[in-house]
Amino acid sequence: MAGHGTDGHPHGADRLCEAGNRVYSRAVRRGRVPRADAEPVPCLLDLALLHPDPDDMDWLVPTSPQEVMTRLLRGVYAEVSASQARVGTTVAAVEWYAGLGGREQGHVEGVAIRVLDGLPRIRAAMDQATERCTTEVLTVQPGGIRREDELSEGLHRALEMRRRGVRMRDLYTHVARHGQGLHTYMELMGDAAEARTLDEVPERLILFDRTVAFIPANTDRTIALELRHPAVIDYLVTVFERLWRLGIPLTSPLPETGIDGITHRERSIAALLAEGHQDAVVAERLGISVRTCRAHIARLSETLGAASRTQLGVRIAQAGLDGPPHAPELLPVTAPGVAESPTEL
C-alpha cells in the first residue's frame, strides 16, 4: 500500500521507517502517545496510522494493526486483479493479431509468438520446452481437484526435470487441496517442487526458465500461444510472483475467517456474490461445481439468517464479508509442495 509520506519519509504503511515503527509500536502497546512524540515522524499521520484522540487533542491514538493489514491486503488484491484483467486483454489482442497474419495457414510461425493449433502441436512444443528446461518451471493451474490420471501422466517428465535440478512452483485454487492425487504427487516430488493455493487464479500459464511461456488461446484449450518476447515474459513472471506472494503453502492450513459458522470457501463465495456474480461464474472462478457452490450459498444464507438473495447481500455487507478474503502475510513463505506435469495445457 503506497502512502503519501513527507519528503523525509517517502514510504508506505508496508515499510515504515525505523522511527515510525518505534512510535507506532509504542502507541499500539499503550493505547495512545503524546502528539509531541509523533512530530519527528509525520508519516504516521500522513498514512492515517495515528489520529487525534477526540477526548484530548494533545494525544494521538493508533489505527488498529488489523485495520492496517486489511488496507494493505485490499491494495494488493486490487493490484493483482488489475494485472489479471490486463493479462486477459493482452491474450485476446495477441490472438486477434496472430489470426490476421496466419488465417490461411492455420498458425503463425515467429520468434516472439507462435500460435499452436491442435493438441499434438501443443504437446510437441511443450515436450521440447520441458527437455530444454534447466532451472525453473512456474505454472498456474486453474480449476478444482486434479484427477490422479492427469497428475500421473507426466510424472516421468517431472521426475526427469527433478533429476536435472529443475525447481518447480505451482499455483492452484484452494479446492485442489482436497484431491489425494496432488498430495501423493507432492510426496514423490519431494523438495524439488512447491505449491501454493489461492481462492482463485487466472487462466492456465506455464513458464520454462523465464524464457518461454504457454497460455491457452481459446476456451477449450485446443489452441495455445507460445510466447518468447522478453517484455511479455517479464510481465507474466511479475504476475506470477505477485500471486505467489499471496498464496498459502499447500502444507499450511487455510486461515480462519474469524466468523463462527463461516468457512474460508464460504467467505470467498460471499465476496464474489457481493460483486454481483452469478452462481456459475462464482463456481468457475473458485474451481467448484455449480451444485457445490449453491450448497455453500444455502449454508451461508442459513448461517447469516437470510431468507432471500437480496437479504443475503445485505447480511454479507453487514458481516463485512463483501471484501477480499483473508490472505496470508505478505512476506514469502518457503514450504515444500508439488508441481503438476507441465506438459498439458
Side-chain angles (χ1 to χ4, degrees):
M1 174 178 136
H4 301 286
T6 65
D7 292 340
H9 299 273
H11 58 71
D14 55 340
R15 51 188 186 282
L16 287 180
C17 59
E18 184 176 349
N21 180 45
R22 286 198 304 270
V23 174
Y24 177 72
S25 299
R26 188 187 315 138
V28 171
R29 290 195 305 270
R30 299 179 181 177
R32 64 177 189 169
V33 292
R35 182 181 288 272
D37 287 7
E39 289 180 358
V41 282
C43 53
L44 297 181
L45 287 169
D46 292 340
L47 296 170
L49 295 178
L50 293 179
H51 51 88
D53 187 338
D55 295 326
D56 189 342
M57 300 299 287
D58 290 331
W59 291 80
L60 299 173
V61 295
T63 300
S64 71
Q66 291 77 13
E67 183 177 341
V68 177
M69 286 189 293
T70 298
R71 284 191 218 159
L72 291 171
L73 291 173
R74 282 180 176 168
V76 174
Y77 181 86
E79 188 176 348
V80 170
S81 296
S83 295
Q84 292 177 4
R86 289 178 60 193
V87 170
T89 302
T90 301
V91 169
V94 168
E95 181 182 357
W96 184 78
Y97 283 110
L100 289 179
R103 295 187 187 278
E104 295 181 358
Q105 294 82 10
H107 63 273
V108 176
E109 297 287 347
V111 175
I113 299 175
R114 279 203 306 164
V115 176
L116 306 174
D117 194 350
L119 293 179
R121 199 150 180 257
I122 293 172
R123 289 177 182 139
M126 295 187 68
D127 284 346
Q128 184 180 65
T130 299
E131 293 171 2
R132 294 178 177 178
C133 183
T134 60
T135 58
E136 182 184 52
V137 179
L138 310 176
T139 77
V140 176
Q141 302 288 356
I145 295 175
R146 312 302 301 177
R147 297 201 313 267
E148 293 192 26
D149 59 339
E150 292 177 339
L151 292 165
S152 61
E153 181 178 352
L155 178 60
H156 67 284
R157 298 184 184 91
L159 291 175
E160 173 59 22
M161 284 195 293
R162 175 190 174 186
R163 187 190 65 79
R164 299 200 307 266
V166 176
R167 301 287 301 174
M168 307 175 201
R169 284 190 287 157
D170 276 35
L171 281 168
Y172 295 88
T173 61
H174 290 324
V175 178
R177 292 168 169 261
H178 303 295
Q180 183 55 44
L182 184 56
H183 293 278
T184 301
Y185 198 97
M186 173 171 55
E187 294 176 2
L188 293 172
M189 293 303 298
D191 60 359
E194 299 176 63
R196 295 186 184 184
T197 64
L198 290 162
D199 290 286
E200 54 179 311
V201 296
E203 184 50 271
R204 187 155 294 169
L205 165 68
I206 303 176
L207 271 160
F208 294 89
D209 287 343
R210 305 195 178 202
T211 57
V212 56
F214 296 86
I215 58 175
N218 61 350
T219 54
D220 62 4
R221 296 173 180 157
T222 57
I223 302 176
L225 297 183
E226 178 183 317
L227 307 171
R228 294 181 181 272
H229 194 289
V232 175
I233 295 298
D234 288 346
Y235 178 79
L236 294 175
V237 169
T238 298
V239 171
F240 180 90
E241 293 292 356
R242 291 182 181 179
L243 290 172
W244 182 260
R245 194 180 182 197
L246 294 174
I248 301 174
L250 186 66
T251 52
S252 300
L254 297 181
E256 297 293 334
T257 63
I259 302 177
D260 291 339
I262 303 294
T263 66
H264 187 93
R265 186 182 299 177
E266 287 163 0
R267 174 155 193 162
S268 303
I269 290 173
L272 291 173
L273 290 176
E275 293 178 9
H277 299 294
Q278 299 298 317
D279 297 358
V281 176
V282 174
E284 180 182 4
R285 288 179 61 167
L286 297 183
I288 58 178
S289 68
V290 175
R291 181 177 179 181
T292 299
C293 179
R294 287 174 177 162
H296 282 295
I297 292 173
R299 285 195 291 271
L300 188 62
S301 298
E302 181 179 358
T303 302
L304 296 178
S308 67
R309 278 300 183 91
T310 301
Q311 191 177 35
L312 176 59
V314 174
R315 295 294 171 82
I316 286 173
Q318 290 174 339
L321 298 173
D322 53 342
H326 180 72
E329 292 183 0
L330 295 180
L331 295 177
V333 179
T334 302
V338 59
E340 184 182 9
S341 167
T343 57
E344 290 292 337
L345 269 180

